[in-house]
């Protein structure tokens, strides 16, 4: 490892039939993968964002994050307390903050998010920013649905999105 490399520690979270790559920087959790993503896709995500990085498998340092996610999946936890480290454009980061304000068990539409950030005509741009969210679940993009109430696209796949929405609706 070179001194200028960004160290990214990772592990695999297993839950039922799903395996999710989970990664953190020294500042906090930075990535939660999709159930169907490969290790090559996982590496490609970081290659696009860091000029130099080192992926180090380290289940021990990610254990607190894995535990919080496992507790969430089991319905025992509704909020997350560990630090996150998400990086995007200023617009993406604004959207991701708006997503974090959506209460557990509630849903909003893309246009509602656009209105919350005072850009009512930006629903499509909001959708693009949501699709680029690197922290599935912790930055709860699964809580965003179509204006007509339809469950629409999700980087984690529709099965995971339905699972997360059903889980939250059962607990509220």
């Amino acid at each position: 490892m070179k001194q200028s490399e960004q160290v990214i520690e990772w592990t695999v979270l297993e839950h039922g039939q799903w395996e999710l790559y989970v990664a953190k920087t020294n500042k906090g959790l930075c990535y939660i993968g999709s159930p169907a993503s490969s290790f090559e896709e996982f590496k490609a995500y970081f290659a696009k964002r860091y000029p130099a990085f080192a992926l180090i498998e380290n289940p021990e340092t990610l254990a607190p994050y894995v535990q919080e996610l496992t507790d969430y999946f089991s319905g025992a936890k509704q909020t997350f307390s560990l630090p996150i480290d998400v990086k995007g454009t200023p617009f993406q980061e604004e959207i991701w903050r708006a997503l974090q304000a959506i209460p557990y068990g509630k849903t909003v539409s893309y246009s509602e998010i656009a209105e919350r950030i005072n850009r009512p005509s930006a629903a499509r741009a909001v959708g693009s920013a949501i699709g680029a969210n690197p922290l599935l679940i912790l930055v709860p993009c699964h809580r965003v649905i179509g204006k007509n109430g339809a469950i629409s696209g999700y980087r984690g796949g529709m099965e995971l999105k339905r699972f997360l929405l059903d889980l939250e609706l059962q607990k509220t």
Side-chain angles (χ1 to χ4, degrees), residues 6-148:
Q6 171 68 53
V7 173
I8 299 161
E9 296 174 301
W10 68 276
T11 193
V12 175
L13 169 99
E14 294 182 19
H15 181 77
Q17 74 275 21
W18 296 318
E19 289 186 351
L20 307 171
Y21 288 99
V22 180
K24 70 178 273 312
T25 66
N26 62 340
K27 295 179 183 173
L29 198 67
C30 64
Y31 182 84
I32 298 174
S34 303
S37 64
S38 68
F39 187 73
E40 291 308 312
E41 291 172 274
F42 173 67
K43 276 178 38 179
Y45 171 82
F46 293 103
K48 289 178 189 172
R49 284 154 184 82
Y50 298 99
F53 66 97
L55 285 175
I56 299 171
E57 187 172 11
N58 193 340
E60 293 79 25
T61 61
L62 281 133
Y65 295 96
V66 167
Q67 187 61 55
E68 280 203 355
L69 287 161
T70 301
D71 290 347
Y72 168 82
F73 286 142
S74 72
K77 187 170 211 41
Q78 295 184 2
T79 59
F80 299 95
S81 61
L82 295 168
I84 63 173
D85 181 20
V86 290
K87 290 188 178 24
T89 67
F91 180 75
Q92 288 171 331
E93 291 179 7
E94 181 179 22
I95 299 304
W96 300 338
R97 282 188 299 275
L99 295 177
Q100 290 176 293
I102 304 169
Y104 183 94
K106 303 291 182 195
T107 59
V108 299
S109 70
Y110 295 92
S111 57
E112 286 176 272
I113 294 291
E115 289 170 17
R116 288 181 184 191
I117 63 161
N118 296 315
R119 297 182 191 193
S121 62
R124 285 183 186 228
V126 165
S128 293
I130 289 172
N133 171 19
L135 274 180
L136 298 181
I137 304 156
L138 269 72
V139 176
C141 52
H142 61 277
R143 296 178 187 156
V144 181
I145 59 174
K147 195 173 194 175
N148 62 359

Side-chain angles (χ1 to χ4, degrees), residues 156-171:
M158 297 307 289
E159 182 183 352
L160 180 57
K161 184 168 184 165
R162 283 188 191 95
F163 169 82
L164 296 172
L165 290 172
D166 289 346
L167 170 71
E168 292 187 10
L169 292 174
Q170 290 173 14
K171 297 293 178 181

